[in-house]
């Protein structure tokens, strides 16, 4: 199965809310998002043996075919077995522990130990160099122990207890003398002294002497398990006893259970959890001596385990029972409840859990007998949904579209489609419910509420036109304006959606089917309606009649959003001026859809447009023809949907809007969009159109077809950026991940865990990939990066979370990346790494040395040629001189041919001589013999 984020929610029957007094369980169905991963997603094997996490936040997965490190997006696999090329490395990894330096120690299926060195990203043998260490094996049921000083204690069969440490200088190996004692368990006391459970009692390690103290506790007992609550040390024995001792106190017997103790844990409330060789698990209250047994119905038992596992997270104790069964402990009911795995429900996961890890951030990782990896993200409901009418018999009672907040009075009005308007104070306490007008006529379906400068409320009703509500000391004075066939200056239609007041006090009404109406007082002070059927002669014919929304821009113009586009209107010199919003010359800067759903103006005067199928748009500038241009945002820009239902703004200027069933926030300056869905409590309930308001306290309300959401931005913020757990996960050259564990890589150190990287050449491409390892918040985290000294501003990272650079000039730079939530960008997590870019080869030191060597060779070559020329020149001169001295003219005449031949030879031997320079035609006498 490919990576699947099951948006279909898994209903997890996790009862967290309990009634006190009667011990009656008040169950609340807690939803969780389930994701499944398999080898198709990158896992090295679907058979998972162990799960753990390091302090950085990486999830480590040991399988039957190697190790995997998971960052929430990608699996980074380490080969084991023969494929690894490491001598003696088994393919199965049975268990893992992580030391204080984040090195991952691996207990292999055959009992040998190896470790992933985080500095080199290689699997190494910690006993390398010790003769015969290939035959050292750890007992199957012994768990290696990491101390607070980063020592790793490992008991090898028939060898003893090794104290190992891996630091920058390599491995330090010390053998602790144990004599004839066999070490079965290790625990650290609150004074940082180390205690070991052996087949003959509990003994303390004398670290300076690397030996066990002779005198110990319970020396007549075979110790199987050790545990601590931070002060007392608890002991489980083969005979079935649970004992305890502490500094300054006599050792005591807590409980004689009578059967071998195979698992032992002490929780934060002082309860002792243990198991024997049988099924299930036990809870012991040491104060009362009460023991309770827990088990679950298991359809596929697992018989190879030897003891239960316990842990505390999310404020509760989690129990993986022996031979099958998994759940959490409910302290109020004193029960271990199923956790999404009750066999009664066939769609649930199996409760035979091979490996599990519960994280405090609200993510549970599991691998069950069905194989693969399961990720369960508990829905925290930070964005709650409230109801106007509890236990309503009609769905209309909680369908909310009409919303308005009166900042002057600090009053909020919410209208449902049952004809009720609920009036709340500043703390959202109900003050009043409006159901009828002053004539006693009931309201029908309020669709929109707005206010005017006089403090009146204007309610648009889907069936009854418009209501003007004036608050009075005794209540409200409510007047209704509706269509009247006998009055041409009544509303053109009763299907009113929304109103807005212009700067002259006129009330503009959006009606669905009757176009735009203007309620304006005549000379007698009576409101009359202006529309296309009376004075608006220039209103577009048979178009722009279905008006959903209406708003006023920064210049006082009225924008009316219809199913045919936007009308821009105003009253000028007692005339209604109407313009249609045209498409600019650059079509891409026009609206992507003319089906307008909502309009809103921000505090900068920018008009925002929500459309059906065209996404979100905002005004930028007008083109040379005076036509408005827009910046558009759709799915390509990060929107979850291009159906926008409502828009509002927070006090930071961020835009909040809803799509069909998802809430979003948008930082227009950073151009970053955040989405909120089921993980925050926003479920599949559909959002209402035009239903979004911001309260005086900063909270934002969104109306839905069943209640309203309250967004308290403080609950969406992080107190510190470190909670996001940002890491640089990869370093790439020309798109290839660089790691020393891969043969042929140029870097012998693991760049993401280093403080500096020196590139090998200037003209290549290098990249950094990064991720926030808080798996509960990962979907909301945004990233910005900057190469200081090269980038002028911070850059937004894309969905691939990568920063890529090429042909960066030579120099030293600092790469920075920060992770943050849009709701609290000031609380960010940051990582930095120095980047050294070498000079181009033509200017590099190697090139300069090459140039010097070549120049030296050229110089020596030129000198050799020069010396040879000098030597040849001197030899020819000596030959000519000898000939002239010993010969005579008659001999020269008689043997002219020979002389001429000798001269030619002399000429040929002189590489720089010219024939005319030899003197063949310089004689003033008879030279006929030369012819």
């Amino acid at each position: 199965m490919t990576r699947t984020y099951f948006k279909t929610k898994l209903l997890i029957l996790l009862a967290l809310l309990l009634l006190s007094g009667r011990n009656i369980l008040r169950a609340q169905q807690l939803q969780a998002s389930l994701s499944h991963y398999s080898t198709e997603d990158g896992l090295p094997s679907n058979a998972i043996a162990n799960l753990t996490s390091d302090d950085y936040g990486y999830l480590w997965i040991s399988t039957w075919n190697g190790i995997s490190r998971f960052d929430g997006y990608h699996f980074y696999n380490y080969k084991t077995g023969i494929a690894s090329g490491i001598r003696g490395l088994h393919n199965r990894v049975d268990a893992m522990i992580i030391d204080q330096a984040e090195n991952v120690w691996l207990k292999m299926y055959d009992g040998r130990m190896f470790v992933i060195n985080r500095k080199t990203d290689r699997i190494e043998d910690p006993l390398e160099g010790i003769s015969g260490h290939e035959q050292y094996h750890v007992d199957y049921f012994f768990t290696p122990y990491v101390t607070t000083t980063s020592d790793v204690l490992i008991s090898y069969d028939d060898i003893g207890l090794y104290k190992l440490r891996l630091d920058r200088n390599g491995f330090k190996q010390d053998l602790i003398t144990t004599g004839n004692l066999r070490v079965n368990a290790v625990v650290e006391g609150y004074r940082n002294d180390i205690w070991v459970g052996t087949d003959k009692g509990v003994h303390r390690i004398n670290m300076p002497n690397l030996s066990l103290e002779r005198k110990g506790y319970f020396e007549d007992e075979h110790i199987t398990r050790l545990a601590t609550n931070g002060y007392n040390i608890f002991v489980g024995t083969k005979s079935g006893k649970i004992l305890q001792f502490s500094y300054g106190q006599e050792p005591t017997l807590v409980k004689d259970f009578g059967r071998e103790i195979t698992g032992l844990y002490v929780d934060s409330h002082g309860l002792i959890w243990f198991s024997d060789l049988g099924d299930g698990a036990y809870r012991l209250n040491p104060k009362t001596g009460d023991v309770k047994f827990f088990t679950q119905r298991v359809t596929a038992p697992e018989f190879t385990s030897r003891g239960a596992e316990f842990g505390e997270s999310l404020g509760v104790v989690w129990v993986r029972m022996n031979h099958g069964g998994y759940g959490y402990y409910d302290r109020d009911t004193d029960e271990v409840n199923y956790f999404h795995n009750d066999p009664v429900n066939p769609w649930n996961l199996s409760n035979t859990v091979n490996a599990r890890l519960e994280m405090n951030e609200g993510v549970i990782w599991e691998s069950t007998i069905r194989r693969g990896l399961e990720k369960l993200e508990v829905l925290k409901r930070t964005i709650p949904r409230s109801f106007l009418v509890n236990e309503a018999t009609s769905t209309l009672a909680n369908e909310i579209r009409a919303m308005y907040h009166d900042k002057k009075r600090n009053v909020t009005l919410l209208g449902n489609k049952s004809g009720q308007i609920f009036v709340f104070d500043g703390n959202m306490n109900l003050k009043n419910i409006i159901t009828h007008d002053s004539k006693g006529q009931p309201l029908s379906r309020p669709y929109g509420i707005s206010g005017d400068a006089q403090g009146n409320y204007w309610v648009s009703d889907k069936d009854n036109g418009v209501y003007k509500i004036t608050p009075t000391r005794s209540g409200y004075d409510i007047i209704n304006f509706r269509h009247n066939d006998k009055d041409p200056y009544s509303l053109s239609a009763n299907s009113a959606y929304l109103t807005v007041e212009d700067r002259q006090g006129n009330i503009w009404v959006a009606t669905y089917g009757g176009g735009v109406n203007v309620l304006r007082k005549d000379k007698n002070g009576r409101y009359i309606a202006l529309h296309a059927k009376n004075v608006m002669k220039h209103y577009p014919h048979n178009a722009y009649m279905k008006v959903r929304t209406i708003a006023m821009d920064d210049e006082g113009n009225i924008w009316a959003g219809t199913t045919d586009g936007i009308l821009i209107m105003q009253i000028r010199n007692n005339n209604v001026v109407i313009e249609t919003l045209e498409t600019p010359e650059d079509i891409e800067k026009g609206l992507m859809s003319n089906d307008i759903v909502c309009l809103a103006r921000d505090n900068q005067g920018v008009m925002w447009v929500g459309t059906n199928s065209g996404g979100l748009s905002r005004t930028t500038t007008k083109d040379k023809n005076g036509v408005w241009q827009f910046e558009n945002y759709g799915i390509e820009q990060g929107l979850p949907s291009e159906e926008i239902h409502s828009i509002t703004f927070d006090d930071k200027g961020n835009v909040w809007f809803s799509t069909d069933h998802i809430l979003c926030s948008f930082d227009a300056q950073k151009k970053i969009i955040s989405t909120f869905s089921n993980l925050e409590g926003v479920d599949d309930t559909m959002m209402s159109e035009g239903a979004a308001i911001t309260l005086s306290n900063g909270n934002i309300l969104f109306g839905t077809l069943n209640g309203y959401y309250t967004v308290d931005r403080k609950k969406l913020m992080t107190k510190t950026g470190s909670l996001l757990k940002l890491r640089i996960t990869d370093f790439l050259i020309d798109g290839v991940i660089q790691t020393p564990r891969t043969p042929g890589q140029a870097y012998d150190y693991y760049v993401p865990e280093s403080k500096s990287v020196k590139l090998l050449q200037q003209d290549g491409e290098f990249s950094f990939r990064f991720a926030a390892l808080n798996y509960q918040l990962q979907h909301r985290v945004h990233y910005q990066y900057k190469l200081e000294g090269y980038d002028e501003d911070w850059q937004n990272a894309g969905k691939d979370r990568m920063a890529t650079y090429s042909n960066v000039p030579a120099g030293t730079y600092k790469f920075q990346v920060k992770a943050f939530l849009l709701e609290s960008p000031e609380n960010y997590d940051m990582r930095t790494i120095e980047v050294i870019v070498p000079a181009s080869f033509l200017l590099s030191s190697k090139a300069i040395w090459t140039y010097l060597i070549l120049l030296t060779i050229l110089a020596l070559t030129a000198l050799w040629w020069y010396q040879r020329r000098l030597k040849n020149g001197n030899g020819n001169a000596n030959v000519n001189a000898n000939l002239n001295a010993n010969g005579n003219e008659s001999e020269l005449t008689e043997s002219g041919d020979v002389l001429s031949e000798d001269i030619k030879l002399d000429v040929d031997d002189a590489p720089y001589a010219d024939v005319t320079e030899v003197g063949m035609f310089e004689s003033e006498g008879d030279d006929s013999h030369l012819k």
Side-chain angles (χ1 to χ4, degrees):
M1 177 180 290
T2 57
R3 179 182 302 179
T4 309
Y5 292 94
F6 288 109
K7 297 303 180 185
T8 55
K9 298 170 297 300
L10 178 66
L11 293 181
I12 303 171
L13 301 179
L14 180 59
L16 295 179
L17 294 181
L18 305 169
L19 281 178
S20 60
R22 295 185 181 180
N23 291 328
I24 299 175
L25 182 64
R26 183 180 164 190
Q28 174 186 347
Q29 288 185 334
L30 183 66
Q31 294 177 328
S33 177
L34 171 65
S35 307
H36 177 79
Y37 303 90
S38 69
T39 52
E40 294 183 6
D41 305 301
L43 269 174
S45 170
N46 288 326
I48 296 174
N50 191 230
L51 298 169
T52 189
S53 64
D54 59 27
D55 289 342
Y56 299 145
Y58 288 111
L59 176 69
W60 290 88
I61 307 163
S62 67
T63 77
W64 287 14
N65 187 31
I67 289 284
S68 187
R69 187 190 76 201
F70 188 47
D71 63 7
Y73 301 99
H74 299 98
F75 292 93
Y76 301 85
N77 299 326
Y78 297 74
K79 293 180 179 180
T80 54
I82 297 175
S84 68
I86 300 173
R87 184 181 180 87
L89 181 64
H90 201 281
N91 59 293
R92 291 193 190 184
V93 185
D94 192 51
M96 300 174 292
I97 57 170
I98 299 176
D99 65 21
Q100 305 296 335
E102 309 305 324
N103 301 306
V104 184
W105 295 73
L106 312 175
K107 181 184 175 184
M108 310 307 291
Y109 188 73
D110 61 357
R112 291 194 62 186
M113 291 293 300
F114 289 85
V115 61
I116 298 177
N117 187 334
R118 296 300 290 278
K119 299 300 180 184
T120 64
D121 202 37
R122 291 193 180 104
I123 298 178
E124 301 176 6
D125 187 344
L127 296 182
E128 188 70 37
I130 297 177
S131 177
H133 75 280
E134 296 88 353
Q135 305 303 319
Y136 292 6
H137 297 277
V138 183
D139 183 83
Y140 179 78
F141 297 107
F142 177 81
T143 302
Y145 190 86
V146 178
T147 70
T148 55
T149 58
S150 201
D151 291 323
V152 179
L153 300 174
I154 303 173
S155 177
Y156 288 95
D157 292 340
D158 303 323
I159 301 298
L161 186 66
Y162 260 98
K163 184 183 75 165
L164 303 173
R165 178 183 293 188
L166 174 58
D167 55 26
R168 67 182 62 183
N169 298 317
F171 288 102
K172 183 179 180 182
Q173 306 152 333
D174 292 312
L175 178 61
I176 298 173
T177 303
T178 59
N180 62 348
L181 300 179
R182 180 186 180 91
V183 177
N184 300 316
V186 182
V187 74
E188 186 169 1
Y190 78 92
R191 294 179 179 176
N192 300 121
D193 46 357
I194 308 300
W195 297 84
V196 296
T198 73
D199 53 352
K200 294 180 180 179
V202 180
H203 298 263
R204 182 165 55 185
I205 298 178
N206 185 329
M207 283 300 181
N209 295 329
L210 295 176
S211 63
L212 301 185
E213 292 183 354
R214 181 174 301 177
K215 185 178 180 180
Y217 292 101
F218 319 117
E219 293 182 276
D220 57 343
E221 293 286 351
H222 184 121
I223 310 302
T224 57
R225 291 290 182 267
L226 294 176
T228 180
N229 61 359
Y231 183 76
N232 296 326
I233 292 177
F234 295 83
V235 181
T237 72
K238 192 170 185 178
S239 64
K241 296 184 180 70
I242 297 179
L243 311 153
Q244 72 170 341
F245 67 92
S246 59
Y247 301 100
Q249 297 181 12
E250 289 295 323
T252 59
L253 171 67
V254 179
K255 191 73 175 180
D256 189 348
F257 184 65
R259 293 190 293 274
E260 180 180 351
I261 306 299
T262 59
L264 189 62
Y265 179 79
V266 184
D267 70 22
S268 60
H269 287 66
L271 297 180
I272 299 173
W273 295 83
F274 66 96
S275 64
D276 58 14
L277 292 173
D279 300 341
Y282 296 84
R283 185 269 302 142
L284 166 63
N285 187 332
K287 294 181 180 180
T288 64
D290 177 61
V291 176
K292 187 169 183 178
F293 173 65
F294 300 103
T295 188
Q296 291 181 350
R297 189 169 77 91
V298 180
T299 56
E302 191 274 322
F303 295 105
T304 60
S305 61
R306 192 174 185 271
E309 295 178 356
F310 311 94
E312 195 163 359
S313 180
L314 301 177
V316 296
V317 174
W318 298 80
V319 182
R320 188 184 79 92
M321 301 177 184
N322 198 28
H323 301 156
Y326 178 65
Y328 70 97
Y329 177 61
D330 189 322
R331 296 188 187 278
D332 291 322
T333 60
D334 194 24
E335 294 291 343
V336 173
N337 296 328
Y338 287 99
F339 183 67
H340 69 84
N341 52 15
D342 189 342
V344 172
N345 299 315
W347 47 266
N348 268 339
L349 296 175
S350 170
N351 63 346
T352 303
V353 177
N354 299 326
R356 28 60 69 186
L357 176 67
E358 304 87 19
M359 292 184 166
N360 285 324
E361 60 209 47
V363 177
I364 290 87
W365 302 90
E366 294 181 20
S367 180
T368 73
I369 199 170
R370 298 176 184 175
R371 304 298 179 92
L373 178 66
E374 315 291 346
K375 176 188 177 185
L376 286 149
E377 298 178 77
V378 177
L379 311 185
K380 294 188 175 181
R381 301 188 184 277
T382 50
I383 301 179
R385 183 158 51 94
S386 305
F387 304 95
L388 296 178
V389 180
N390 292 320
E391 300 179 359
T393 58
S394 170
T395 58
L396 297 178
N398 285 304
E399 184 174 346
I400 302 168
R401 178 168 179 147
M403 309 180 78
Y404 178 71
H405 179 68
D406 184 349
K407 292 184 178 180
K408 292 183 179 179
R409 298 187 179 99
N410 197 16
V411 169
T412 300
L413 288 78
L414 303 179
N416 64 14
K417 289 191 177 181
S418 290
Q420 299 169 302
I421 296 177
F422 293 73
V423 183
F424 298 90
D425 63 15
N427 296 319
M428 291 303 292
N429 297 315
L430 184 62
K431 293 178 58 179
N432 209 335
I433 301 176
I434 302 172
T435 59
H436 294 73
D437 63 14
S438 297
K439 293 182 180 181
Q441 297 299 315
L443 280 63
S444 180
R445 290 184 291 169
Y447 260 46
I449 306 175
S450 64
D452 64 19
Q454 306 304 315
N456 302 307
Y457 305 132
W458 293 82
V459 177
S460 300
D461 193 290
K462 175 69 172 177
D463 306 305
N464 293 341
V466 176
Y467 293 93
K468 177 187 176 185
I469 301 178
T470 303
T472 64
R473 292 183 179 180
S474 59
Y476 302 94
D477 184 19
I478 305 175
I479 303 173
N480 182 221
F481 303 92
R482 65 171 63 198
H483 173 71
N484 184 346
D485 290 336
K486 297 179 181 180
D487 184 0
Y489 287 92
S490 65
L491 289 178
S492 60
N494 283 330
S495 182
Y497 273 46
L498 190 61
T499 66
V500 67
E501 183 187 31
D502 65 17
R503 293 174 180 175
Q504 289 77 41
N506 303 305
I507 304 299
W508 296 70
V509 185
T511 71
Y512 199 80
V516 178
N517 285 238
V518 183
L519 286 176
R520 193 178 192 192
K521 289 183 178 181
D522 61 14
K523 60 182 179 180
N524 297 319
R526 183 177 69 93
Y527 279 103
I528 60 173
L530 310 180
H531 46 74
K533 295 181 180 179
N534 48 41
V535 301
M536 294 187 190
K537 302 302 182 183
H538 298 290
Y539 199 95
H541 182 65
N542 292 331
Y544 299 90
M545 301 304 290
K546 296 178 181 179
V547 188
R548 282 198 189 98
T549 182
I550 197 163
M552 184 172 66
D553 69 15
D554 207 36
E555 299 176 354
N557 299 312
I558 303 300
W559 289 46
T562 78
T563 56
D564 299 314
I566 293 176
L567 293 177
I568 301 178
M569 310 171 69
Q570 62 173 295
I571 295 180
R572 186 189 308 157
N573 299 325
N574 286 327
N575 293 316
V576 180
V577 180
I578 305 172
E579 297 179 3
T580 57
L581 181 69
E582 302 295 336
T583 302
E585 289 185 355
D586 188 347
I587 298 177
E588 293 184 357
K589 294 182 179 180
L591 293 176
M592 294 293 102
S593 171
N594 285 324
D595 193 356
I596 312 301
V597 178
C598 51
L599 293 166
R601 185 183 82 241
D602 66 20
N603 55 12
Q604 302 297 319
V606 175
M607 294 298 293
W608 291 81
V609 184
T611 70
N612 186 22
S613 77
L616 182 69
S617 303
R618 67 164 180 168
T619 55
T620 55
T621 58
K622 293 182 179 180
D623 65 13
K624 62 181 180 180
N625 298 319
V627 177
W628 276 109
Q629 300 180 114
F630 293 85
E631 188 171 42
N632 300 304
Y633 308 94
I635 291 177
E636 291 185 0
Q637 288 72 36
L639 266 63
S641 169
E642 293 181 346
E643 297 181 13
I644 309 301
H645 284 206
S646 58
I647 302 173
T648 188
F649 310 95
D650 64 22
D651 54 9
K652 289 187 175 182
N654 294 326
V655 185
W656 288 78
F657 60 96
S658 66
T659 62
D660 44 8
H661 67 274
I662 296 177
L663 301 183
C664 306
S665 65
F666 177 44
D667 186 326
Q669 292 183 342
K670 293 185 174 70
K671 299 188 184 303
I672 294 174
I673 297 173
S674 283
T675 60
F676 305 92
S677 55
N678 57 353
L679 292 177
E680 289 76 33
V682 181
D683 56 26
D684 290 338
T685 303
M686 296 297 292
M687 301 291 177
S688 296
E689 292 183 359
I693 57 173
T694 303
L695 308 185
S696 298
N697 61 6
N699 289 348
I700 299 171
L701 306 185
F702 286 93
T704 77
L705 271 60
N706 189 20
Y708 64 93
Y709 289 110
T710 301
V711 179
D712 183 350
R713 291 187 296 115
K714 296 186 293 295
K715 295 181 180 180
L716 300 174
M717 299 178 181
T718 52
K719 295 181 179 179
T720 60
S722 60
L723 293 175
L724 301 179
K725 301 180 182 179
L726 175 64
R727 300 302 300 177
I728 296 175
T729 60
D730 290 296
F731 174 67
L732 302 89
I733 294 293
D734 295 330
V736 179
I737 295 177
Q738 302 297 302
T739 171
R741 73 174 184 269
T742 303
Q745 296 290 344
Y747 296 88
D748 59 357
Y749 59 97
Y750 190 51
V751 174
E753 299 296 334
S754 65
K755 296 181 180 179
S756 177
V757 57
K758 184 176 181 180
L759 303 185
L760 302 181
Q761 60 184 20
Q762 182 213 10
D763 56 353
E765 178 185 271
F766 65 94
S767 307
F768 292 98
R769 185 155 51 202
F770 31 83
L773 303 183
N774 184 317
Y775 303 106
Q776 179 67 242
L777 298 175
Q778 206 169 51
H779 68 288
R780 288 177 48 209
V781 176
H782 299 282
Y783 307 89
Q784 289 185 319
Y785 62 88
K786 180 180 181 181
L787 188 61
E788 194 173 88
Y790 182 78
D791 290 324
E792 294 184 1
D793 300 311
W794 288 92
Q795 311 294 316
N796 290 333
K799 292 183 179 180
D800 58 357
R801 308 173 324 285
M802 288 186 66
T804 301
Y805 296 91
S806 61
N807 298 319
V808 176
T812 300
Y813 304 89
K814 182 165 68 173
F815 176 73
Q816 300 171 294
V817 57
K818 59 183 179 181
F820 57 91
L821 300 182
L822 190 57
E823 294 66 43
S824 52
E826 67 280 1
N827 298 330
Y828 56 82
D829 198 6
M830 179 179 283
R831 291 291 174 267
T832 63
I833 185 170
E834 183 184 62
V835 179
I836 302 172
V837 181
S840 173
F841 180 78
L842 296 177
L843 300 176
S844 65
S845 58
K846 290 183 178 180
I848 292 174
W849 279 107
T850 303
Y851 301 152
L852 291 175
I853 293 172
L854 290 175
L855 288 173
T856 301
I857 293 173
L858 289 174
L860 292 174
T861 302
L863 180 62
W864 178 78
W865 277 107
Y866 179 72
Q867 291 177 341
R868 182 182 178 188
R869 177 184 176 185
L870 291 177
K871 181 178 179 180
N872 290 337
N874 291 334
N876 292 334
N878 291 333
V879 170
N880 291 334
N882 291 333
L883 288 173
N884 290 331
N886 299 326
N888 51 57
E889 186 174 350
S890 60
E891 291 176 343
L892 288 173
T893 302
E894 292 175 359
S895 59
D897 292 337
V898 175
L899 178 61
S900 176
E901 186 175 312
D902 289 341
I903 293 174
K904 288 180 181 179
L905 179 63
D906 195 23
V907 170
D908 291 340
D909 286 342
Y912 299 103
D914 194 310
V915 175
T916 58
E917 294 179 354
V918 179
M920 294 177 62
F921 304 105
E922 291 181 358
S923 173
E924 294 181 357
D926 184 8
D927 57 358
S928 60
H929 63 286
L930 292 177
K931 294 180 182 179

